[in-house]
Each structure stands twice: as structure tokens, then as C-alpha cells.
Amino acid sequence: MELTAVGAKKSYLREIAYVTLTSMVPMLGSFSFVEELITMFVAVALDNGVIETPDELYLAMCLRRKYPWYDWAKALPHWHGKHILSEKNVRKVVPILCEVSEENKSLFSSWHPQLHTVWNEIFDLYFNKQREYELETMEPMHFDLLWDAVVERGLFGSGSTQFRRYWGFLLLERLLPYLSEDTVPALMSPNIVRALSDNVSLNKKSLLAKVSMRTAESLIGVCEGNTKVGLAVLTHLLNQKSGIGQASGSGGSGKQMSLRTMMANRIVAKLDSQAIIGYVAYLQEMILTPQKAAKQSSSGVAGRTLDKGNMSAKAVDKQRIWAVDQMVRVARFAQLPITDEL
């Protein structure tokens, strides 16, 4: 396949070469010798199952989804489980999606400002309701596990480059349409909040500062439109020891404004006492009847433990602790409109 040769010689052309190959995947089934064609794809385009790049991962995911009957255990001997994103493969998936390689640094010698195409397939897998059956039968890792491993501890991890943090912010923006109160803890995790603190500035004009500020504005927009999400984000912001994003004022005023304060003020402006009472009632339900709260959750994240109605004792305890912590933070925040009923 000449396309794989082009991608091997010119790293900046590798993604488009593999996207072109992947677009051919549905057509393989129209040939009587489809199995031989898949074998050829695996041998040439996937280097006999040695998957090292997002391009190869994208092609492999699409091939396995389209032709599940093929002997993938034999074709991809180094990848375990029913799905290539199985929890058993998380250590292989992380460096691929973070685009790092200690063994072969030339694999990722060029940087691209857009998210890799493989993320389209990943988000479609977890958020497309028409693929719920695939999640139940093929058992890929839960989305929050993938997010923690790749985004929180990978793209936003200690020592991560500005280029990978940039991808991290793009993924944050990508997740926002699916954000709900029970996905906020993943979004507002320590490394992500620290990245906002380090990069969001109202005065900086760097590309990273611009995308991080855009992400923060998008997050505020979601919070303003969804009370439960807004309160969950607000209480997480209140738990941060330092302000998120110190930005120096212009014109010699010498004043500094914390993005945390800006976000908190804008979220609070959209809240009334009834909204807060509703949120506290939701937290109470999480403590008293966690299974019921999980089922009623509006989360769009498929494959999460909370959505399956069979939460482990550890997951229940973790959720109850989080709910109590949220209540304490709400009670301590003086700017909220508190009434006698609340």
C-alpha cells in the first residue's frame, strides 16, 4: 500500500494517509475475499499488529468495529480483551493518544494544531447512543478511566509540553456538550485545574492562553445553562487552594483578578434559592439512594460505572463522600442566595 509508505516517509502526511485507508474499510465487505483484504490491511498498514500511532489505532478500531467476526486475537496478539480500548490495554493506549514514544521519537516528530481523527471515533464510541450495544458486549474501559489516564495524567500531567496541554484544552472543549453534574469531578481534576491556573490569563496572547481562555468561557456557558453543573463546578472551584489564572490588570491599576472569582460570580448570578435547594436535594439522594440517583443522572457518558445500576460498594462510598463534601462547600459559600428553607 503506497499510502502507508507515504505516511512512513512524511510524518505530517501520515494522518491523512491513514484517514484515506480507513475510508476504504466499509468497502472491503463488498468483495468475496474480504478476509484476505483484512489480513493485508493488518500486515501492511498495522505492521502485523504492532500498533504505535494514533493513525494505526484509528484504523484498527474501525476495522474491528466493521468486521468483529475476524480473528482479531490472532491478528493483534499484543492487544488483549474484546475491545482494543479494553482496560487491559490502557498502558499501550496512553502513549499512543498522547503521541509520545520513548523507543521511537521520530514517530511524533511533527506537531499538529488539531485533535487527531482517532478522537472522533473515541467520542462516537462513548457518546453515540446507537453504539451502546457495542459498549455492553465489547466492554471497552470506562470513559472516566480513559480520560484520567490520557488527559488528566497524560496531556496535563507533570512535565507535559505546551503542545500536549493545547490538545488537552481542545479535548476539554470537546467534552463540554456531554458535561453533567457527575462528570464534573473528572473535568475539574487537579492537573486540569492547575493547567487553567498556569495558562489562563486575560492579558496573554499566546495560542495556549487563548485556547485555555476559550475553554474556560465555554465551561462558564455550560454552567450558566445548567444549574446542577454550575453548582458542581462552583463547589470544585471553591476547593482550590489558589486562584485559577491570575491576570494582571491593565493600565497600571496593579489589580489582579482571579478567573476563579470571575467564574464563580457568573455562575452565582444565574442561581436562585430554588436552584440551590434542588441541587442539595440531588446530593441528599446521592447519599441515601445512590443507585436511584445514578439512574436519574443526565450524564451523557456511556459505559460509566454510575450508569449501569450495579455500583460497587467502593463506588457508592466514593459518591457519598463527594456528595457530603459538596454540601459543606455550598453551606460555606457566603455569596450564594441562602434562605431560611435552605
Side-chain angles (χ1 to χ4, degrees), residues 35-62:
E35 188 167 353
E36 288 79 2
L37 288 173
I38 296 174
T39 301
M40 182 180 67
F41 265 70
V42 172
V44 180
L46 297 182
D47 193 18
N48 290 310
V50 182
I51 300 172
E52 298 181 299
T53 67
D55 317 283
E56 295 166 338
L57 181 64
Y58 177 47
L59 177 59
M61 289 181 68
C62 292

Side-chain angles (χ1 to χ4, degrees), residues 296-310:
Q296 293 180 349
S297 172
S298 58
S299 172
V301 182
R304 286 176 55 86
T305 303
L306 297 182
D307 296 333
K308 292 190 174 183
N310 59 349

Side-chain angles (χ1 to χ4, degrees), residues 224-289:
E224 290 176 335
N226 187 317
T227 299
K228 288 183 178 179
V229 170
L231 277 163
V233 169
L234 177 63
T235 51
H236 273 74
L237 288 174
L238 298 177
N239 195 43
Q240 302 305 317
K241 294 181 179 180
S242 59
I244 301 177
Q246 298 294 331
S248 299
S250 60
S253 63
K255 295 182 179 180
Q256 293 186 325
M257 180 183 68
S258 166
L259 182 67
R260 177 177 65 176
T261 302
M262 181 188 75
M263 292 179 69
N265 289 343
R266 287 177 58 174
I267 293 171
V268 169
K270 294 291 183 178
L271 300 178
D272 55 28
S273 59
Q274 290 303 313
I276 301 171
I277 290 171
Y279 183 62
V280 172
Y282 167 75
L283 294 174
Q284 288 176 328
E285 190 171 46
M286 290 181 70
I287 297 170
L288 300 175
T289 55

Side-chain angles (χ1 to χ4, degrees), residues 14-34:
R14 187 170 58 215
E15 182 176 354
I16 188 60
Y18 272 80
V19 168
T20 304
L21 282 173
T22 305
S23 68
M24 301 177 186
V25 168
M27 295 183 286
L28 301 183
S30 61
F31 295 93
S32 59
F33 49 96
V34 55

